[in-house]
Amino acid sequence: MPADRFSTATRLKALGEQAAARVYRARRPRRSRLTGRAALLALVTCSLVVALAWPIKQYVSQRSDIAAQRRKAEHAARMLNELRDQKARWQDPAYVKQQARRQLHYVMPGETGYIVQDGSGDAPAKRTPRAARRPWYETLWAGAHEPGRTHEPGRR
C-alpha cells in the first residue's frame, strides 16, 4: 500500500503539468511591441520634428525681433514728441530769455547781476589751499589709507 499512497500525489502532479501545458499552449505567442507600423510612425514623427524645428526657431526669433523693433519705434516716437515740444518752447521769446538768465547768467540792460556763492548752488566748490600745498601722492595715499579722512601736511 505504500505505492497507493504516492499514486494520488503523483496523479495530481501529472494533472497539474498537463493543465499547465494546455494553458501555455492556449496563449498566443507574444508579439513584439514595436511593429512595422509603429516604427514607421516614430520615423515620420521624428522627421517632422526635425524638419519643423528650424522654422519654428526662426519664427520665435523673428517675433522677438519684431517686438524689439516696435519698442524702439515707440521710444523714437516719444523722443520725437519731446523734441517737438522743446522746439516749440524755444520758439517762445519769454522761454529764451528765461533760459539765457538761468544758464548763461544774462541780465537785462539796467539790471545788476549777482552770483551768490554760499555752497547751496550747483557751482563747483573751490579747492582748499591746504589741498593745493600737499603733493598729489600724499593726498592719494591718505585717501587710500584712511578713506574719509584727510591728513594735514607734515602729519602722518
Side-chain angles (χ1 to χ4, degrees):
M1 290 224 172
D4 291 338
R5 185 173 138 198
F6 291 108
S7 64
T8 307
T10 307
R11 276 191 234 151
L12 285 175
K13 185 177 179 185
L15 284 173
E17 289 173 358
Q18 289 172 0
R22 273 183 276 170
V23 167
Y24 286 120
R25 261 186 276 134
R27 282 189 184 171
R28 291 184 179 170
R30 277 194 161 177
R31 293 177 59 188
S32 174
R33 290 185 183 252
L34 184 63
T35 62
R37 287 183 185 171
L40 182 63
L41 179 64
L43 180 67
V44 168
T45 304
C46 289
S47 62
L48 282 175
V49 166
V50 169
L52 293 177
W54 179 257
I56 289 174
K57 180 183 176 275
Q58 289 295 318
Y59 174 76
V60 170
S61 174
Q62 289 174 358
R63 295 290 293 183
S64 65
D65 290 345
I66 289 170
Q69 291 297 324
R70 283 186 179 151
R71 283 191 300 272
K72 281 184 180 179
E74 289 171 1
H75 178 69
R78 282 194 306 270
M79 290 300 296
L80 179 65
N81 288 335
E82 289 176 15
L83 289 173
R84 284 182 180 158
D85 291 343
Q86 188 176 7
K87 181 183 176 186
R89 282 194 305 263
W90 280 103
Q91 298 298 322
D92 183 18
Y95 183 76
V96 173
K97 285 181 185 178
Q98 177 192 21
Q99 292 303 312
R101 285 174 174 264
R102 179 179 295 154
Q103 294 179 6
L104 301 175
H105 305 289
Y106 281 13
V107 293
M108 295 299 287
E111 294 179 346
T112 304
Y114 294 100
I115 297 177
V116 179
Q117 296 182 351
D118 63 349
S120 65
D122 55 357
K126 286 188 176 181
R127 297 178 67 185
T128 61
R130 181 174 28 184
R133 282 187 267 147
R134 292 175 55 182
W136 65 269
Y137 51 85
E138 284 185 10
T139 306
L140 178 67
W141 179 253
H145 186 63
E146 295 180 27
R149 285 192 67 201
T150 55
H151 298 286
E152 294 181 21
R155 292 183 76 191
R156 300 197 188 217

